[in-house]
């Protein structure tokens, strides 16, 4: 996802009242924009058994309080 697309989606989710934005990506790249592994918020990737590597599933809060 290029940066302008990320910014557009970030703004849209805030506009819709979403508390966070989650998606699949590389933490080395998106971590620079403040994203963390979704598991840090207790959010699991649908269909992936508990304990499996989901380091690709990322999340960033709009508001504090998810963690």
């Amino acid at each position: 996802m290029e940066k302008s697309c990320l910014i557009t989606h970030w703004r849209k989710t805030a506009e819709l009242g979403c508390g966070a934005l989650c998606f699949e990506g590389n933490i080395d790249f998106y971590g620079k924009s403040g994203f963390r592994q979704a598991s840090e918020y207790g959010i699991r990737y649908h269909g992936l058994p508990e304990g499996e590597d989901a380091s690709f599933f990322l999340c960033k809060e709009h508001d504090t309080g998810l963690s």
Side-chain angles (χ1 to χ4, degrees):
M1 184 183 307
E2 66 180 66
K3 186 133 183 149
S4 64
C5 185
L6 178 62
I7 291 168
T8 299
H9 285 85
W10 179 250
R11 289 179 180 157
K12 187 65 176 178
T13 55
E15 194 179 293
L16 292 171
C18 299
L21 173 62
C22 297
F23 61 89
E24 298 173 17
N26 184 316
I27 191 64
D28 293 333
F29 181 80
Y30 291 107
K32 297 172 189 172
S33 296
F35 285 86
R36 299 176 12 202
Q37 292 181 3
S39 61
E40 293 181 30
Y41 297 101
I43 302 171
R44 292 183 47 217
Y45 190 79
H46 177 74
L48 194 65
E50 193 167 352
E52 291 290 320
D53 179 28
S55 58
F56 60 89
F57 190 44
L58 309 177
C59 183
K60 181 177 177 182
E61 292 183 80
H62 282 289
D63 310 304
T64 58
L66 287 181
S67 51

